Amino acid sequence: MENIQNKVVIITGTSSGIGENTAKLLAKHGAKVVLGARREERLSSIKQAIEEAGGTAVYKITDVTSSKQVQELAQLALDEFGTIDVLINNAGIMPVSPLHAQKMDEWDQMIDINIKGVLYGISAVLPTMRENKKGQIINVASALAHVVVENAAVYAGTKFAVKAITEGLRQEECENNIRTTIISPGAVQSEITNGITHEETKDAVKGMVSKVWLQPESIAKAIAYSVNEPDEVSTNEIIVRPTIQKAF
Ligand SMILES: NC(=O)c1ccc[n+]([C@@H]2O[C@H](COP(=O)([O-])OP(=O)(O)OC[C@H]3O[C@@H](n4cnc5c(N)ncnc54)[C@H](OP(=O)(O)O)[C@@H]3O)[C@@H](O)[C@H]2O)c1
């Protein structure tokens, strides 16, 4: 994993789950990680854990629905480490429910965080990467960026959008030597199901995924693989499901 060494990596949604595990793994391999999420206590203790293990981390409270805050997170990377090598747009929520439940606030939040947050991240790092003529943007989508299942119409819609945006970015920026990667996890144990407010859907999701889910480290390893590949290799998409996950 020598190509991870010294890379400056911004990761959104680093206060738990896939983001936290990715930050710790990349820092273990020598990356300088820049952490962003809303819960400061979590960010602070993750930074401390990384430093105690010999790694380098800084953090900033960041709500990805604010383009200004995402810009400030990118600026933190530039101020502290002088450049940006990798952005991992990982922050996301999954309050799934049937459309007839009319949870419009949750639709708005999913669109703001899962789609607009990704766009704000891309916007914040592209000038630096274009100037450097290199970089990597990793967007965390989902197995539900490939298929739609009932009760996940809006969530899947946001992840289909992430996939489309990433492919557009690839075509626009490949000649600037900017690598793009879509990471599409299947079921992973994390706090994400806590945000489901539609009780029937919550029970169904928890009942299904708790039998099959992966630990977030498995997704972190796939991300680390793509970061470690040499500059001329753009790992454009990885889908990582639990082996026994049959549905979607
Ligand atoms: N777990 C799965 O089965 C699964 C499957 C496919 C895809 N994914 C995707 O994987 C990504 C990570 O999810 P996870 O499973 O690791 O869930 P998680 O443990 O709930 O982590 C989600 C992270 O996103 C952050 N976040 C949420 N809203 C935010 C906002 N407005 N601004 C900044 N950060 C925000 C949270 O931090 P704060 O609350 O502190 O801000 C948290 O750190 C998401 O994009 C999710 O859609 C997960």
Side-chain angles (χ1 to χ4, degrees), residues 30-60:
K32 297 165 186 163
V33 292
V34 180
L35 320 175
R38 294 166 302 177
R39 289 170 291 175
E40 183 169 20
E41 247 177 55
R42 296 281 194 100
L43 292 174
S44 171
S45 72
I46 291 163
K47 169 183 156 70
Q48 196 182 337
I50 288 172
E51 288 173 345
E52 281 170 7
T56 304
V58 293
Y59 76 82
K60 189 163 199 324

Side-chain angles (χ1 to χ4, degrees), residues 118 122 137-141 159-172 179-183 236:
V118 167
I122 293 169
I137 297 177
I138 300 171
N139 293 331
V140 178
K159 295 302 187 176
F160 269 68
V162 169
K163 187 154 67 88
I165 289 163
T166 316
E167 172 57 12
L169 177 69
R170 184 189 74 76
Q171 293 179 25
E172 290 179 21
R179 307 189 294 158
T180 59
T181 305
I182 303 165
I183 299 286
N236 296 132

Side-chain angles (χ1 to χ4, degrees), residues 70-90:
V70 178
Q71 285 284 347
E72 288 168 357
L73 184 67
Q75 192 59 48
L76 176 67
L78 292 172
D79 292 345
E80 291 285 332
F81 304 122
T83 196
I84 299 165
D85 296 302
V86 182
L87 166 68
I88 305 174
N89 277 313
N90 165 73

Side-chain angles (χ1 to χ4, degrees), residues 187-237:
V188 175
Q189 185 169 28
S190 76
E191 297 174 18
I192 203 158
T193 49
N194 297 346
I196 304 173
T197 61
H198 188 263
E199 289 305 327
E200 272 173 51
T201 308
K202 187 175 200 160
D203 292 346
V205 169
K206 286 199 158 175
M208 186 192 76
V209 298
S210 64
K211 295 190 193 104
V212 302
W213 54 27
L214 292 176
Q215 293 306 305
E217 292 86 349
S218 300
I219 310 304
K221 281 190 210 160
I223 293 174
Y225 163 80
S226 79
V227 175
N228 187 55
E229 285 296 277
D231 285 353
E232 70 272 19
V233 178
S234 190
T235 307
N236 296 132
E237 179 152 22

Side-chain angles (χ1 to χ4, degrees), residues 13 15-16 18 38-39 62-64 90 141 155 159 185-186 188 190:
S15 56
S16 60
I18 294 168
R38 294 166 302 177
R39 289 170 291 175
T62 308
D63 185 330
V64 299
N90 165 73
Y155 178 76
K159 295 302 187 176
V188 175
S190 76

